[in-house]
Amino acid sequence: MNTIGTIFRFTGFGESHGAAIGGVIDGMPAGVKIDLGRIQAELDRRRPGQSALTTQRRESDTVEILSGLFEGVTTGCPIGFIIRNENQHSADYEHIRHAFRPSHADYTYTAKYGLRDHRGGGRSSARETATRVVAGAFARQALEQHGISIAAYTSQVGHIAVNGDYTTLDLSLTENHPTRCPDPAKAAEMEKLILDVKADGDTIGGIVSCVVRGCPVGLGDPVMGRLGARLASAMMSINAAKGFDYGMGFAGVASRGSEVIDRFLPGDLDPARSATNHSGGIQGGISNGEDIYFRVAFKPVATLMQDVETIDDHGNTITLKGKGRHDPCVVPRAVPIVEAMAAMVILDSLLLNRAARI
Amino acid sequence: MNTIGTIFRFTGFGESHGAAIGGVIDGMPAGVKIDLGRIQAELDRRRPGQSALTTQRRESDTVEILSGLFEGVTTGCPIGFIIRNENQHSADYEHIRHAFRPSHADYTYTAKYGLRDHRGGGRSSARETATRVVAGAFARQALEQHGISIAAYTSQVGHIAVNGDYTTLDLSLTENHPTRCPDPAKAAEMEKLILDVKADGDTIGGIVSCVVRGCPVGLGDPVMGRLGARLASAMMSINAAKGFDYGMGFAGVASRGSEVIDRFLPGDLDPARSATNHSGGIQGGISNGEDIYFRVAFKPVATLMQDVETIDDHGNTITLKGKGRHDPCVVPRAVPIVEAMAAMVILDSLLLNRAARI
Amino acid sequence: MNTIGTIFRFTGFGESHGAAIGGVIDGMPAGVKIDLGRIQAELDRRRPGQSALTTQRRESDTVEILSGLFEGVTTGCPIGFIIRNENQHSADYEHIRHAFRPSHADYTYTAKYGLRDHRGGGRSSARETATRVVAGAFARQALEQHGISIAAYTSQVGHIAVNGDYTTLDLSLTENHPTRCPDPAKAAEMEKLILDVKADGDTIGGIVSCVVRGCPVGLGDPVMGRLGARLASAMMSINAAKGFDYGMGFAGVASRGSEVIDRFLPGDLDPARSATNHSGGIQGGISNGEDIYFRVAFKPVATLMQDVETIDDHGNTITLKGKGRHDPCVVPRAVPIVEAMAAMVILDSLLLNRAARI
Amino acid sequence: MNTIGTIFRFTGFGESHGAAIGGVIDGMPAGVKIDLGRIQAELDRRRPGQSALTTQRRESDTVEILSGLFEGVTTGCPIGFIIRNENQHSADYEHIRHAFRPSHADYTYTAKYGLRDHRGGGRSSARETATRVVAGAFARQALEQHGISIAAYTSQVGHIAVNGDYTTLDLSLTENHPTRCPDPAKAAEMEKLILDVKADGDTIGGIVSCVVRGCPVGLGDPVMGRLGARLASAMMSINAAKGFDYGMGFAGVASRGSEVIDRFLPGDLDPARSATNHSGGIQGGISNGEDIYFRVAFKPVATLMQDVETIDDHGNTITLKGKGRHDPCVVPRAVPIVEAMAAMVILDSLLLNRAARI
């Protein structure tokens, strides 16, 4: 199952070390003038090799759009695209051909399918997320025509967390720092932590926070199609994601209802506004016109630059050398992926909502 | 969108104060001998009015199975069922007909659909979760034939949390206490907190934890159909759910990879076992044969037994009296719902996995 | 798979001799004032026992709507409904419990599922089509708000066919005759044929033709969602349906392109009109604003009122007495079913089309 | 909607004169050793320019597989592929940029989407069917491992039809003649007719017949997922298809039930066999182990090599010169497309059927 969405549907393909990755965006509404430079720019944000914090695998990650545009405008027909894989060192992975690395997908893929493409993790590599970024970039340009914007940022790395939520931060600073943390002081701390972890050949986790602004009232459907459920599914489909919450989320469980209900302000109802937004912009599973904000937790990934004892595909103990090119912390590069997934969910929900009334 | 699942698909219907709630279970595999008493027993676990901790709304919640069984065995045909609504006091809700209660679905439903059934919250009421419990109970009986069991429990209410994870608890105690917390001491504390909150006409949130045992290797599909994404979507579709994580989840972001990778034990590969299970039974989006464990955060619900100032459907300020019958804490009754949703996801994934190989 | 549709989704359940049949209509747009009398009236058109041409099985077929309506108007929430089975003579079917009737679903269901509900054909009975009629009746009331109407009629029984297509007939006469053929002379011939066939304990096939009027331009999606493909799937899902064509259909294969292209008339483009409508209202898979017309072929059903030699579930030869209550020709009662399926497809396509442009 | 299938899902993209066409095959079971030469060979069967009967547009139609294979074996991961467009004469279509050709998709696409890619028909061109052939070729190689084979052939062109059904023909002769009619005498007549039609700058329709052999019992699901409905949808999604029937189809409506029921033969039940196969291998919507056979009617396509009077996008009359490169009869080239669509439906149904029983 490599598809997400009901109306706006994205289907991706590709492995880390195959010929190319790519996908099909189906259900893209017609009439969106596409800025291809900005599509590529989104992809560049995710690209590895941009700072000392990320893997030094270098790929130009140039997207080629193959269909669905005519004279720069979406036609309503499916948008096919590919990104050629380059700089592949397949031989670098020969040592894991018969190995099951701990906490990787090596064992589960092999057990499920009877074989696996071991090169660079194959389909389980985060490389496929580049295709999500392309699809999300199309969705974003459609959303802009409805005044909807999406901004994610690194809010925690290891134990270092920003204080306060997005309303206290200047999100225009996010891209200024390789950590993608908009708080410069915290960003510096995070960077130091990541470099320390990297020096140890280790990895560290973190949290990406995201806010959707300008979302109209009415997105999301009771009951299985709650907007929070759709966002959760999209976010938890990202590699290394282990948790999702929105609004008050996990922190809110200790609150009393009277403390956290969002009291409406009298006045205009288009939309109604409330004094607070503990709900995170979603009530009864449906967007209420306030900002939608949520968090995604990422684990410390399992690819260590250390010797690791594990088993081979006969169940025998082996020792793997830490090698290859890997991120000590995936969180900075996850920021554009979270935005892309959010854009797809919101656009799909926006289009679905048009069927709400006769 | 009131359907969940791809092969095993459940579609529910019904409002709090309509004639009945019910649903259709499609894709239930043939050949499962159904114990109807146990279906009803699951429903009874969710039923209100069972202790001082829950709403005193009393409904017998008797499920009537209308199709899909022949001589007690599933036939592969869809299972239709209904639960008649009883003990309806629709007039109790006349005061909210034109009101938008804060942090409820009143406003969003009205804005989306142009009207709403205000009685008891209509479709947004947690009443519909009874139909999920029925569908989940069918799924569980199917899963039992594959040796898979599911157990949820209350792990936190307000700031009171059990120590340790499921492996340190005796989950056979869960049903012994109205809180559904298997730690008797913590259960007592939680109970006291809920009663205090109730006395204040207030509400409190909490966390349900859940473990799936006996799950075979191979469930879940890369990349959009990751098992964690499916579980997240299912759980976040439950009323009042605000967060989901699995394995180390949010807590794990501060760890280093070297601390939390699950080292394989040499030996048999059917399945391979690891020394730890920080991954939560899912690697690369696919079950690895270890226990799958996750958490669901529930907010303090918005229905207070206090006077609340809010707006009406003209945007004017009004004051609502706190009345009706409501749970001060939904967490104990959410336990069987979480189990039901997990059962549906796991069975669907089990059936999907049969197509993994030629 | 008992669901049809993407946005407007109908899921049915129920067997011939179970407690009830019913279904869930999900995605019904909000704001449609429903005339319940007309819902029941549609169901009455399909009901058996109304003339000498149909089975004498008598059921009141009273539909009970359980949800999704509030004060007579659709709320956007799923509409659950049931129709209780009555007048069940399950014992009448004891003789086929271990028999595989020729050209029935007895063998295929048993082979697929390992068991079957033999009573009255179980799920394979045409009884389930009553639930389609209910769902279709809701769809029709929604379509009426967009000026779209649907009319089917019996165009052929055995070798007796009406001359000309729907444009030459007065479709207001369809309901005047038990055959549902709007040509009175042909209707009389058809009636005589059906009665002759019935007297022989035999059955006969026929064709239902249908026209959709008032359909806007733009319904249907390239390429897998062509409107003709959606209609074909819906029609071929009806019991005993063996063929579908639209526009010129099978007859058109012998034509030359120059004879059958639909030449546009100069003038207004909203919509553009053409001098002829050989295309059947669909071009490139998308409705063009002309009438959509199509045919559905129904086989002579296999339930004979004759002794039939067949096999039992051990493969041994047995002789079955012709008994039970059955239609000698299903075509007249298929007319409202064809309309119902068409209404669901057209409404779903109408709602989907709202996402065509940004 | 450019996707077909539930488990085995194909999503295509691409326009006639864009950079490339292609698609993603998702849900391809792992472990199928793929003969890439045979994939290309299927594509070559559909390729234009192979005889005087087809368009002289010449494209090498070379497929590039980008993912989902590892060392020649399917991995269970999605198979992305592209076919570069070549030999494009976009300027050839400048004259139709503002024209609505009669019985084409020009008007409906423009009306639906607000714009269209006019070059070569854009997405509405039959060029996209090349991607279906690739996907079908993968499906066929999977089906072969289950002993299932599929053979289509031209059974009618204009008024010239083969006598008898597939059982009376030697289908090994199909590829011997450019018409793909396995009856040499009829093939010669068809060829002459097509050449005559071509000389007139005209087009002619026809019928493709198809048989699926070796299909196990149990494929297809009641009631909306009847195998006949799935095949109908797939076939009617092909360009220019106007009708579908299976088994006796339209011809059978004039029969009596007693003449056409398929009497079981006593003996083995794995599978049960019947003396005749009027049912066309499907009973109750489920395959019964007999041959599945069906027909697809194709209209005479609308692209004439004659002057045609039509309208422009302002509704004014214009005259179009007949030019470009087009097939006078699409039927011969539709043969591999019908086979490809059948292969996808059968494989998807085969995989779905694995979930029928617990």
Side-chain angles (χ1 to χ4, degrees):
Chain A
M1 176 55 88
N2 292 274
T3 298
I4 188 166
T6 298
I7 299 278
F8 179 94
R9 285 175 304 279
F10 169 62
T11 304
F13 67 82
E15 293 92 37
S16 175
H17 282 64
I21 58 174
V24 186
I25 305 163
D26 198 5
M28 177 75 186
V32 183
K33 188 160 176 42
I34 295 297
D35 181 337
L36 287 174
R38 290 177 55 214
I39 304 286
Q40 183 63 48
E42 284 299 313
L43 202 46
D44 291 345
R45 291 176 67 204
R46 197 213 71 99
R47 199 176 59 197
Q50 297 185 101
S51 82
L53 301 188
T54 62
T55 166
Q56 292 309 299
R57 173 171 169 163
R58 292 185 185 283
E59 312 226 24
S60 68
D61 276 3
T62 305
V63 64
E64 184 186 7
I65 308 297
L66 302 171
S67 66
L69 290 180
F70 180 62
E71 300 179 344
V73 179
T74 59
T75 62
C77 294
I79 297 164
F81 66 88
I82 59 170
I83 303 166
R84 294 277 172 191
N85 287 326
E86 304 166 357
N87 193 237
Q88 300 167 349
H89 300 182
S90 294
D92 281 5
Y93 296 94
E94 198 57 33
H95 67 299
I96 63 165
R97 178 188 277 265
H98 296 288
F100 293 148
R101 290 168 297 168
S103 292
H104 276 79
D106 298 342
Y107 168 66
T108 52
Y109 270 59
T110 305
K112 183 181 183 76
Y113 296 115
L115 78 167
R116 78 176 204 275
D117 180 349
H118 68 280
R119 300 166 303 163
R123 182 72 181 152
S124 73
S125 164
R127 175 132 188 80
E128 62 84 13
T129 58
T131 68
R132 306 181 186 221
V133 170
V134 173
F138 276 89
R140 289 180 91 146
Q141 295 196 25
L143 290 175
E144 282 170 13
Q145 300 208 10
H146 291 269
I148 302 169
S149 66
I150 296 170
Y153 58 96
T154 298
S155 58
Q156 186 168 340
V157 171
H159 57 282
I160 304 165
V162 297
N163 301 318
D165 69 12
Y166 73 95
T167 60
T168 68
L169 297 165
D170 177 358
L171 300 191
S172 73
L173 304 179
T174 300
E175 294 299 306
N176 289 5
H177 195 273
T179 57
R180 293 206 166 93
C181 175
D183 176 328
K186 293 289 182 181
E189 287 183 61
M190 290 175 183
E191 181 174 24
K192 182 174 181 319
L193 175 58
I194 295 172
L195 292 173
D196 286 353
V197 163
K198 183 183 177 186
D200 294 344
D202 214 332
T203 63
I204 191 79
I207 296 178
V208 174
S209 294
C210 186
V211 57
V212 181
R213 295 190 238 228
C215 193
V217 187
L219 277 50
D221 298 285
V223 299
M224 298 302 179
R226 281 187 159 87
L227 191 53
R230 287 188 190 148
L231 287 167
S233 178
M235 298 306 152
M236 295 301 290
S237 78
I238 303 174
N239 301 45
K242 301 296 277 190
F244 169 87
D245 65 3
Y246 76 93
M248 295 176 298
F250 276 96
V253 304
S255 303
R256 288 192 170 207
S258 60
E259 298 164 352
V260 294
I261 54 171
D262 294 315
R263 290 162 210 273
F264 282 108
L265 301 173
D268 191 29
L269 290 178
D270 188 23
R273 309 306 312 214
S274 49
T276 53
N277 182 18
H278 299 296
S279 298
I282 302 173
Q283 290 175 336
I286 297 169
S287 65
N288 68 353
E290 302 286 343
D291 292 345
I292 297 169
Y293 61 95
F294 60 86
R295 303 186 304 157
V296 189
F298 291 91
K299 69 172 184 179
V301 288
T303 313
L304 311 181
M305 294 300 99
Q306 307 172 354
D307 286 3
V308 176
E309 197 163 275
T310 191
I311 58 172
D312 65 15
D313 55 13
H314 287 85
N316 298 319
T317 300
I318 56 172
T319 298
L320 287 176
K321 294 279 171 202
K323 64 177 177 176
R325 296 158 296 172
H326 302 285
D327 285 353
C329 179
V330 297
V331 172
R333 287 177 60 209
V335 166
I337 304 165
V338 165
E339 291 177 355
M341 298 307 290
M344 288 194 262
V345 169
I346 298 296
L347 178 56
D348 192 34
S349 299
L350 181 88
L351 296 172
L352 279 166
N353 189 40
R354 293 181 181 170
R357 302 193 194 185
I358 187 62
Chain B
M1 177 55 85
N2 293 273
T3 297
I4 189 167
T6 300
I7 299 278
F8 179 94
R9 286 175 304 278
F10 169 63
T11 305
F13 67 83
E15 293 92 38
S16 175
H17 283 61
I21 58 174
V24 186
I25 305 162
D26 199 4
M28 177 74 187
V32 182
K33 186 157 179 48
I34 295 297
D35 181 336
L36 287 173
R38 289 177 54 214
I39 304 286
Q40 184 63 48
E42 284 299 313
L43 202 45
D44 292 346
R45 291 175 67 203
R46 197 212 70 98
R47 198 176 62 196
Q50 298 184 99
S51 81
L53 301 189
T54 62
T55 168
Q56 293 308 299
R57 173 170 169 165
R58 293 185 183 284
E59 310 226 27
S60 68
D61 276 3
T62 304
V63 64
E64 183 186 7
I65 308 297
L66 301 170
S67 66
L69 289 181
F70 181 62
E71 300 180 341
V73 179
T74 59
T75 62
C77 295
I79 297 165
F81 66 88
I82 60 171
I83 303 166
R84 293 277 171 191
N85 287 326
E86 304 166 359
N87 193 236
Q88 300 167 347
H89 300 181
S90 293
D92 281 3
Y93 294 93
E94 199 57 34
H95 66 300
I96 63 164
R97 179 188 277 266
H98 297 289
F100 294 147
R101 292 168 295 169
S103 291
H104 276 79
D106 298 342
Y107 168 66
T108 52
Y109 270 60
T110 305
K112 182 181 185 77
Y113 297 116
L115 79 166
R116 80 176 203 272
D117 180 350
H118 67 280
R119 300 166 303 163
R123 181 72 181 151
S124 73
S125 164
R127 174 133 187 80
E128 61 85 13
T129 57
T131 68
R132 307 181 186 222
V133 171
V134 173
F138 275 89
R140 290 180 89 145
Q141 295 196 23
L143 289 175
E144 283 170 14
Q145 300 206 10
H146 291 269
I148 302 170
S149 65
I150 296 169
Y153 59 95
T154 299
S155 58
Q156 186 167 341
V157 171
H159 57 282
I160 304 165
V162 297
N163 300 318
D165 68 11
Y166 73 96
T167 59
T168 68
L169 297 165
D170 177 358
L171 300 190
S172 72
L173 303 179
T174 300
E175 293 299 305
N176 288 7
H177 194 274
T179 57
R180 292 209 165 91
C181 173
D183 176 327
K186 293 289 182 180
E189 286 182 63
M190 290 175 182
E191 181 173 25
K192 181 173 182 320
L193 174 59
I194 296 172
L195 292 174
D196 285 353
V197 163
K198 183 182 178 187
D200 294 344
D202 214 331
T203 61
I204 191 80
I207 297 177
V208 174
S209 294
C210 185
V211 58
V212 181
R213 295 191 237 228
C215 194
V217 187
L219 275 51
D221 297 286
V223 299
M224 298 301 180
R226 280 187 161 86
L227 191 53
R230 287 187 189 148
L231 286 167
S233 177
M235 298 306 151
M236 295 301 289
S237 78
I238 302 174
N239 301 48
K242 301 296 276 190
F244 168 87
D245 66 3
Y246 76 95
M248 294 175 297
F250 277 96
V253 304
S255 304
R256 290 192 168 206
S258 60
E259 298 164 352
V260 295
I261 54 171
D262 295 315
R263 291 164 209 274
F264 283 108
L265 301 173
D268 190 30
L269 290 178
D270 187 23
R273 310 305 312 215
S274 49
T276 54
N277 182 19
H278 298 295
S279 299
I282 302 172
Q283 290 175 336
I286 298 170
S287 65
N288 68 354
E290 303 285 342
D291 292 344
I292 298 170
Y293 61 95
F294 59 86
R295 303 187 305 156
V296 189
F298 291 91
K299 70 173 183 177
V301 289
T303 314
L304 310 181
M305 295 300 98
Q306 307 172 353
D307 286 4
V308 175
E309 198 162 272
T310 190
I311 59 172
D312 65 16
D313 55 14
H314 288 83
N316 299 319
T317 300
I318 56 171
T319 298
L320 286 176
K321 295 280 172 200
K323 63 178 180 177
R325 297 158 294 173
H326 301 285
D327 285 352
C329 179
V330 297
V331 172
R333 286 177 61 210
V335 166
I337 303 164
V338 166
E339 291 177 356
M341 297 308 288
M344 288 194 263
V345 169
I346 298 295
L347 178 57
D348 192 33
S349 299
L350 181 87
L351 296 171
L352 279 166
N353 189 40
R354 293 181 182 171
R357 301 193 195 186
I358 189 61
Chain C
M1 176 54 87
N2 292 275
T3 298
I4 188 166
T6 300
I7 300 279
F8 179 94
R9 284 176 305 278
F10 169 62
T11 304
F13 67 83
E15 293 92 37
S16 175
H17 283 64
I21 57 175
V24 186
I25 304 163
D26 198 5
M28 177 75 186
V32 182
K33 187 159 177 45
I34 295 297
D35 181 336
L36 286 174
R38 289 177 56 215
I39 305 286
Q40 183 64 47
E42 284 298 313
L43 202 46
D44 292 345
R45 290 176 69 205
R46 197 213 70 100
R47 197 175 60 196
Q50 298 184 97
S51 82
L53 301 189
T54 62
T55 167
Q56 293 308 299
R57 175 170 168 165
R58 292 184 184 285
E59 311 225 27
S60 68
D61 276 2
T62 305
V63 63
E64 184 186 7
I65 308 296
L66 302 171
S67 66
L69 289 181
F70 181 62
E71 300 180 342
V73 179
T74 59
T75 62
C77 294
I79 298 165
F81 66 87
I82 60 169
I83 303 166
R84 293 277 172 190
N85 288 327
E86 305 166 357
N87 193 235
Q88 299 168 347
H89 299 180
S90 293
D92 281 3
Y93 296 92
E94 199 57 32
H95 66 300
I96 63 164
R97 180 188 276 266
H98 296 289
F100 294 147
R101 290 168 297 168
S103 291
H104 276 79
D106 298 342
Y107 168 66
T108 51
Y109 270 60
T110 305
K112 182 180 183 78
Y113 296 115
L115 79 166
R116 80 177 203 274
D117 180 349
H118 68 280
R119 299 166 302 162
R123 182 73 180 150
S124 73
S125 164
R127 176 135 187 79
E128 61 85 12
T129 57
T131 67
R132 305 181 187 222
V133 170
V134 172
F138 275 89
R140 290 180 88 145
Q141 296 196 25
L143 290 176
E144 282 169 14
Q145 301 207 10
H146 290 270
I148 302 169
S149 66
I150 296 169
Y153 59 96
T154 299
S155 57
Q156 186 168 340
V157 171
H159 57 282
I160 304 165
V162 297
N163 301 317
D165 68 10
Y166 73 96
T167 60
T168 68
L169 297 165
D170 177 357
L171 300 190
S172 73
L173 304 180
T174 300
E175 292 299 305
N176 289 7
H177 195 275
T179 57
R180 291 204 168 93
C181 174
D183 175 329
K186 293 290 183 181
E189 286 182 62
M190 290 174 182
E191 181 173 24
K192 181 174 180 321
L193 174 59
I194 296 172
L195 292 173
D196 285 352
V197 163
K198 184 183 178 186
D200 295 343
D202 213 332
T203 62
I204 190 80
I207 296 177
V208 173
S209 294
C210 185
V211 57
V212 182
R213 291 176 167 126
C215 193
V217 187
L219 277 51
D221 298 285
V223 300
M224 298 302 178
R226 281 187 159 87
L227 191 52
R230 286 187 190 149
L231 287 167
S233 178
M235 298 306 151
M236 294 301 289
S237 78
I238 303 174
N239 301 48
K242 301 295 277 190
F244 169 89
D245 64 4
Y246 76 94
M248 293 176 299
F250 277 95
V253 304
S255 304
R256 288 191 169 209
S258 59
E259 298 164 352
V260 295
I261 54 171
D262 293 316
R263 289 163 209 274
F264 283 109
L265 302 173
D268 191 29
L269 290 177
D270 189 24
R273 308 307 309 215
S274 49
T276 54
N277 182 19
H278 298 297
S279 299
I282 303 172
Q283 290 174 336
I286 297 169
S287 65
N288 68 352
E290 303 285 344
D291 293 344
I292 297 169
Y293 60 95
F294 59 86
R295 303 186 306 157
V296 189
F298 291 91
K299 71 172 183 178
V301 288
T303 312
L304 310 181
M305 295 299 98
Q306 306 172 353
D307 286 4
V308 176
E309 198 162 272
T310 190
I311 59 170
D312 65 16
D313 55 13
H314 287 85
N316 298 319
T317 300
I318 57 171
T319 299
L320 287 176
K321 295 281 172 199
K323 64 178 179 176
R325 295 158 297 171
H326 303 285
D327 285 352
C329 179
V330 297
V331 172
R333 288 177 59 209
V335 166
I337 303 165
V338 165
E339 290 177 356
M341 297 308 289
M344 288 195 262
V345 169
I346 298 296
L347 179 56
D348 191 34
S349 299
L350 182 88
L351 297 171
L352 279 166
N353 189 41
R354 294 180 180 170
R357 301 194 195 185
I358 187 62
Chain D
M1 176 54 87
N2 293 274
T3 297
I4 188 166
T6 300
I7 299 279
F8 179 94
R9 286 176 304 278
F10 169 63
T11 304
F13 67 83
E15 293 93 35
S16 175
H17 283 63
I21 58 174
V24 186
I25 304 163
D26 199 4
M28 177 75 187
V32 182
K33 186 156 179 48
I34 295 297
D35 181 336
L36 287 173
R38 289 177 55 213
I39 305 286
Q40 184 63 47
E42 284 299 312
L43 201 47
D44 292 345
R45 290 176 68 203
R46 197 213 70 99
R47 198 175 60 196
Q50 298 187 98
S51 81
L53 301 189
T54 61
T55 169
Q56 292 308 301
R57 173 170 169 164
R58 292 185 183 284
E59 311 224 27
S60 68
D61 276 4
T62 304
V63 64
E64 184 186 7
I65 308 297
L66 301 171
S67 66
L69 289 181
F70 181 62
E71 301 181 342
V73 179
T74 59
T75 61
C77 294
I79 297 164
F81 66 89
I82 59 170
I83 303 167
R84 293 276 171 191
N85 288 326
E86 305 167 358
N87 193 236
Q88 300 167 349
H89 301 181
S90 294
D92 281 3
Y93 296 94
E94 199 58 32
H95 66 299
I96 62 165
R97 179 188 276 265
H98 296 291
F100 294 148
R101 290 169 296 168
S103 291
H104 276 79
D106 298 342
Y107 168 66
T108 52
Y109 270 60
T110 305
K112 182 180 184 79
Y113 296 115
L115 79 165
R116 80 176 202 273
D117 180 350
H118 67 280
R119 301 167 302 163
R123 182 72 181 151
S124 73
S125 164
R127 175 135 188 79
E128 61 86 11
T129 56
T131 67
R132 306 181 187 220
V133 170
V134 172
F138 276 90
R140 289 179 90 145
Q141 296 196 23
L143 290 175
E144 283 170 14
Q145 300 207 10
H146 290 270
I148 302 170
S149 65
I150 296 169
Y153 60 95
T154 299
S155 57
Q156 186 167 340
V157 171
H159 57 281
I160 304 166
V162 297
N163 300 317
D165 68 12
Y166 73 95
T167 60
T168 68
L169 297 165
D170 177 358
L171 300 189
S172 72
L173 304 179
T174 299
E175 293 299 305
N176 288 7
H177 195 274
T179 56
R180 292 206 168 95
C181 174
D183 176 328
K186 293 289 183 181
E189 287 183 61
M190 290 175 181
E191 181 173 26
K192 183 174 178 323
L193 174 59
I194 296 173
L195 292 173
D196 285 352
V197 162
K198 184 182 178 188
D200 295 344
D202 214 332
T203 62
I204 190 79
I207 297 177
V208 173
S209 293
C210 185
V211 56
V212 181
R213 292 177 168 126
C215 193
V217 187
L219 275 52
D221 297 287
V223 301
M224 299 301 180
R226 280 187 160 87
L227 191 54
R230 286 186 191 149
L231 286 167
S233 177
M235 298 306 150
M236 295 301 290
S237 78
I238 303 174
N239 301 48
K242 300 296 276 191
F244 169 87
D245 65 3
Y246 76 93
M248 294 176 298
F250 276 95
V253 304
S255 304
R256 288 193 169 206
S258 59
E259 297 164 354
V260 295
I261 54 171
D262 293 315
R263 290 164 209 273
F264 282 108
L265 301 174
D268 191 28
L269 291 177
D270 188 23
R273 310 305 312 214
S274 48
T276 54
N277 182 18
H278 298 296
S279 299
I282 302 173
Q283 290 175 335
I286 298 169
S287 65
N288 68 353
E290 303 286 342
D291 293 344
I292 297 169
Y293 61 95
F294 59 86
R295 302 187 306 157
V296 189
F298 291 91
K299 70 172 182 177
V301 289
T303 314
L304 310 182
M305 294 300 98
Q306 306 173 355
D307 286 5
V308 175
E309 198 162 90
T310 190
I311 59 172
D312 66 15
D313 55 13
H314 287 84
N316 298 318
T317 300
I318 56 171
T319 299
L320 287 176
K321 295 279 173 201
K323 62 177 181 178
R325 296 160 295 173
H326 301 286
D327 286 352
C329 180
V330 296
V331 173
R333 287 177 59 209
V335 167
I337 302 165
V338 166
E339 291 177 356
M341 297 307 290
M344 288 194 263
V345 169
I346 298 295
L347 178 56
D348 192 32
S349 299
L350 182 88
L351 297 171
L352 279 166
N353 189 40
R354 293 181 182 169
R357 301 195 195 183
I358 189 61

